[in-house]
Amino acid sequence: PLSAAFSSSAPPPSRRNVVIVDGTRLPFAPASTTYSDLMAVDLMKLALDGLFIKTALPREAVDYVIAGNVIQEVRTSNIAREA
């Protein structure tokens, strides 16, 4: 059990509410067309910008982002952090 992973002298892990506000994605486009000049990190930035516009959520209110892509690009291996 998880409780066994913590020693009795250590304080319990903080419990915070996890909230999923919304999600967004970019429209599909055939390969080598609309998005051909953009890297995965650029596409993720566009998706995140769209999410903030869609939800009117201030960027400062977001602690963590879960993001991903189908095919990882070598030049931007962690697009959630870099976007």
Side-chain angles (χ1 to χ4, degrees), residues 21-78:
V21 175
D22 207 334
T24 189
R25 59 173 305 284
L26 297 177
F28 283 106
S32 302
T33 60
T34 305
Y35 307 125
S36 63
D37 295 338
L38 301 173
M39 294 186 350
V41 68
D42 300 322
L43 297 173
M44 183 58 66
K45 184 177 182 326
L46 290 172
L48 291 173
D49 288 344
L51 182 63
F52 285 113
I53 291 169
K54 178 180 173 183
T55 61
L57 186 67
R59 292 173 189 258
E60 307 82 47
V62 177
D63 292 324
Y64 298 98
V65 173
I66 299 172
N69 58 321
V70 175
I71 301 173
Q72 188 170 351
E73 185 177 315
V74 176
R75 294 174 288 178
T76 54
S77 60
N78 189 344

Side-chain angles (χ1 to χ4, degrees), residues 6-7 15 17-18 32 39 46 48 50 56 68 74 76 79 81 83:
F6 299 99
S7 70
R15 300 200 184 266
N17 291 334
V18 174
S32 302
M39 294 186 350
L46 290 172
L48 291 173
V74 176
T76 54
I79 62 173
R81 179 177 58 197

